[in-house]
Structures are given as C-alpha cells and as structure tokens.
C-alpha cells in the first residue's frame, strides 16, 4: 500500500488532538486521544512518554498558539502584552491548569518563550538574581486572572444576610465587565510594583 501523504501520528498531531478534546470538554487521556485519532493507544507511545508527555505537547501547542514575541519594545509593554495573551490562554483552557502547573516544563517552544521573557527583563535592567522571582509572579498573575475570566458571571451569591458584601453586589459589574476591570487594575498595580522593584537600591552595609 502507498504511504500516506502526511504522517498519521506525530508529537504535534497528538498535542493538537489533546487540545481539541480538552476544548470540547471531553476526556483527553491516552485512550481518548487514540480513539480520536483512530489508532491503538500503544501507537502513541512511539511518540510520547505517556500522559506526562501528552500534557507537555499540549503545553507547547498552547504557547505556540498564544505566544507573544518581543519586538524591541520596553519591558513593561512586553509584560502587559504577555499577560493579556496568557490570561486568555488560561481562560480558554481552565481544566488544563492543574496538569500544567504540576509538571516540569521541558517543551522547547515553552522554554524559548520563557527565555524571551527572561531576556526582556534582564535587558530592562532587572538583576538576574531577581528575574526568576519576577517570572513566577507574572505566571501566578496570569493563571489567577485567567481562571477569574473563566469564572461564572456571578462569582458571589450570598445565601443570607451580610454586613457589607450583599449591598456592594447589588450594583456591581458582572461577567466579563467585572473581570476586565479587575484585570486592568491588577495589571496597573503589578507593573507599578515591578517598576518600584527595578528602581529600588539595596540598602548599604553599615
């Protein structure tokens, strides 16, 4: 029989299939992906190292789909653009977050994206000893606000009398309007704090 014009399986195909299943709300384990692609589960193991490998392929595909590449702009403008893209990425795939944060990052595309961020921060004047801490803060911010964007329109629904919360909720924004306003304020506070960190000088020794 002639060979197919394109490979039936590859790491990219497997990662894309996992994301497709995830976006649809269906299971995306080894067996589910194999059924989706019309192959035996054992065939996947020629290309991936079990579920951990599949998760890392999905992470790589996600980052490639939402990646922001620096183009020489100032570090703060790049970080804001990155946060907006990552917030959308996590909001679109909230069910993946526990898997992504529970596995060491190894995918070359993801490592390259983090290398971009580290380089932008160092070029912007952040001391190398602080860069990993700043990256972790940026990650936590993006994950948190991504999940906030994916939350229900009504985040709070008191079942009884409250002293303050219920009154505030009566006229409060809901849904995306609330999430967007919260995110914008959070970004402003984060960038201001990072600028202050950048400008801070170590205390001189006595």
């Amino acid at each position: 029989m002639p060979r197919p014009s394109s490979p039936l399986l590859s790491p990219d195909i497997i990662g894309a299939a996992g994301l497709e299943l995830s976006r649809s709300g269906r299971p995306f384990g080894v067996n589910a992906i194999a059924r989706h692609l019309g192959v035996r589960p054992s065939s996947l193991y020629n290309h991936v190292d079990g579920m951990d490998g599949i998760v890392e392929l999905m992470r790589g595909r996600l980052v490639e789909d939402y990646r922001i590449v620096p183009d020489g702009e100032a570090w703060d403008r790049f970080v804001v653009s990155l946060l907006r893209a990552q917030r959308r990425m996590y909001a679109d795939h909230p069910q993946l977050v526990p898997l992504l944060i529970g596995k060491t990052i190894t995918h070359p595309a993801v490592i390259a994206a983090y290398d971009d961020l580290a380089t932008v921060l160092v070029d912007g004047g952040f001391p190398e000893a602080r860069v990993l801490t700043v990256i972790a803060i940026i990650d936590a911010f993006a994950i948190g606000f991504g999940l906030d964007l994916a939350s229900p329109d009504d985040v709070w629904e008191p079942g009884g009398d409250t002293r303050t919360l219920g009154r505030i909720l009566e006229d409060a924004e809901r849904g995306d309007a609330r999430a967007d306003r919260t995110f914008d304020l959070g970004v402003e506070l984060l960038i201001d704090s990072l600028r202050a960190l950048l400008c801070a000088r170590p205390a001189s020794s006595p």
Side-chain angles (χ1 to χ4, degrees), residues 1 8 13 27 32 58 89 96 111-112 134 137 151 182 184 197 202 206:
M1 295 181 64
L8 183 61
I13 289 172
M58 294 168 71
M89 178 181 76
L96 285 182
I111 295 295
V134 173
I137 292 169
S151 63
T182 305
D184 289 341
L197 179 66

Side-chain angles (χ1 to χ4, degrees), residues 2 4 7 15 19 33 39 50 58 60 65 68 75 90 92 104 111 113 121 136-137 145 175-176 190-191 198-199:
L19 278 183
I33 291 174
V39 300
M58 294 168 71
D65 288 348
I68 301 296
W75 69 266
Y90 290 121
D92 289 344
T104 300
I111 295 295
L121 292 173
I137 292 169
F145 275 100
D176 287 352
L190 176 62
I191 295 299
L198 182 60
C199 294

Side-chain angles (χ1 to χ4, degrees), residues 83-95 97 138-152 176 178-179 183:
L83 287 170
R84 294 191 184 283
Q86 290 191 343
R87 176 196 183 217
R88 185 74 262 171
M89 178 181 76
Y90 290 121
D92 289 344
H93 306 86
Q95 69 276 19
V97 171
I138 291 170
D139 268 352
F141 186 97
I143 292 170
F145 275 100
L147 295 179
D148 180 64
L149 183 58
S151 63
D176 287 352
R178 178 204 59 80
F183 175 75

